[in-house]
Amino acid sequence: DGGITQSPKYLFRKEGQNVTLSCEQNLNHDAMYWYRQDPGQGLRLIYYSQIVNDFQKGDIAEGYSVSREKKESFPLTVTSAQKNPTAFYLCASSMRGLRGRNEQFFGPGTRLTVL
Amino acid sequence: QKEVEQDPGPLSVPEGAIVSLNCTYSNSAFQYFMWYRQYSRKGPELLMYTYSSGNKEDGRFTAQVDKSSKYISLFIRDSQPSDSATYLCAMKGGGADGLTFGKGTHLIIQP
């Protein structure tokens, strides 16, 4: 059963702590993305990766870091430098190629709350 | 000026009505246009994908793109209570980066 999994579903963090959100896909997609969604807001791009061992900053990368050591995995670390980390985090993936990379498929999301 | 404008609603219509959702945008480089449906506390689900101007139909859903007016629409025919969700428009240019989203319209279909 192909798809994108994100874990955990809910995550609570104390101020000053780093936390890592997991994203795994078994769709054999090359490209993966991280978005953030705040209440009443659209999704905003944090980081994206087109191939293994390569990634680029999106519109709101400050306070976040990523790695892409495997094609299937694209973990996101929310660092203590992120001033307002409470949000719904969504991972997406797509195929490469002109049309493929435009059709992005999303995971179920992780809701992060800073206590 | 925001790149993508979308009325947040809520938009409430009776079951069976035709629903019209729309977005306007300012970036003329956008070529690819998507509509996603998002249920509460879930990930967005891709509904429609269109390239450049024109119409695309898939079952009860029709997507329209008018690049000259920088305006895109999603029509839902024979609306059902299960269509109640937030609908997000998204778009991008020809590069390999991510999508630019509208804020989403909260749609309520009354039984």
Side-chain angles (χ1 to χ4, degrees), chain B residues 40-98:
Chain B
S40 182
R41 298 177 179 270
K42 304 290 185 183
E45 171 193 8
L46 181 62
L47 281 178
M48 300 290 283
Y49 168 94
T50 52
Y51 167 65
S52 195
S53 288
N55 294 358
K56 182 176 182 179
E57 185 174 324
D58 185 359
R60 296 185 296 113
F61 299 93
T62 299
Q64 286 185 351
V65 174
D66 181 350
K67 288 191 70 180
S68 62
S69 302
K70 297 189 177 64
Y71 187 90
I72 70 170
S73 300
L74 178 71
F75 298 95
I76 307 174
R77 292 182 297 280
D78 188 24
S79 57
Q80 305 294 313
S82 59
D83 294 327
S84 298
T86 295
Y87 289 79
L88 297 155
C89 64
M91 49 198 77
K92 72 185 302 291
D97 56 357

Side-chain angles (χ1 to χ4, degrees), chain B residues 88-111:
Chain B
L88 297 155
C89 64
M91 49 198 77
K92 72 185 302 291
D97 56 357
L99 303 174
T100 299
F101 282 84
K103 291 186 177 183
T105 298
H106 183 206
L107 175 65
I108 300 168
I109 308 298
Q110 303 166 336

Side-chain angles (χ1 to χ4, degrees), chain A residues 48-59:
Chain A
Y48 62 101
S49 168
Q50 293 295 313
I51 55 173
V52 173
N53 292 323
D54 187 49
F55 49 82
Q56 285 77 41
K57 293 181 179 180
D59 301 319

Side-chain angles (χ1 to χ4, degrees), chain A residues 57-111:
Chain A
K57 293 181 179 180
D59 301 319
I60 55 166
E62 185 176 350
Y64 300 97
S65 65
V66 293
S67 63
R68 187 83 188 277
E69 297 177 1
K70 298 188 301 181
K71 183 177 181 177
E72 302 79 15
S73 178
F74 191 38
L76 173 74
T77 297
V78 184
T79 75
S80 57
Q82 169 51 235
K83 299 304 181 189
N84 297 295
T86 295
F88 190 40
Y89 289 88
L90 290 155
C91 178
S93 71
S94 70
M95 297 179 68
R96 292 187 75 188
L98 189 58
R99 171 169 176 147
R101 66 187 180 208
N102 300 321
E103 290 184 299
Q104 296 182 14
F105 299 91
F106 284 83
T110 292
R111 190 166 298 275

